[in-house]
C-alpha cells in the first residue's frame, strides 16, 4: 500500500472512532479525512515551497 493512503486512512479511522464515541460519526469521519488529506498533501507542499523560497532569497 502507498504510505499516503495509510496516513489518510489512519486519520479517517481516528476521526471515525471519535465520532462513534461522541455520536457524530459522519462529522468526525469527514474531519479525520480532511486532516489526513492536509497531512499528506498540503504540509509537504508548503515545506517544499518554503525551501524554494528560501533558496531563491539566498541567491
Amino acid at each position: 500500500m502507498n504510505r499516503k493512503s495509510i496516513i489518510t486512512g489512519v486519520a479517517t479511522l481516528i476521526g471515525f472512532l471519535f465520532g462513534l464515541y461522541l455520536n457524530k460519526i459522519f462529522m468526525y469521519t469527514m474531519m479525520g479525512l480532511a486532516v489526513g488529506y492536509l497531512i499528506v498533501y498540503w504540509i509537504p507542499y508548503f515545506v517544499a515551497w518554503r525551501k524554494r523560497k528560501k533558496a531563491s532569497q539566498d541567491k
Side-chain angles (χ1 to χ4, degrees):
M1 275 188 137
N2 192 349
R3 183 181 61 90
K4 292 178 180 181
S5 297
I6 292 173
I7 293 171
T8 305
V10 167
T12 305
L13 184 61
I14 290 170
F16 174 76
L17 294 174
F18 277 141
L20 195 61
Y21 178 71
L22 298 173
N23 294 325
K24 294 188 178 185
I25 296 170
F26 182 76
M27 183 177 83
Y28 283 101
T29 302
M30 291 300 116
M31 192 179 298
L33 185 60
V35 167
Y37 178 75
L38 197 132
I39 290 169
V40 168
Y41 292 102
W42 286 104
I43 290 176
Y45 173 77
F46 283 120
V47 168
W49 176 76
R50 190 171 169 205
K51 285 181 183 177
R52 279 188 309 226
K53 184 178 174 186
K54 186 177 180 183
S56 67
Q57 288 178 350
D58 290 342
K59 289 183 179 180

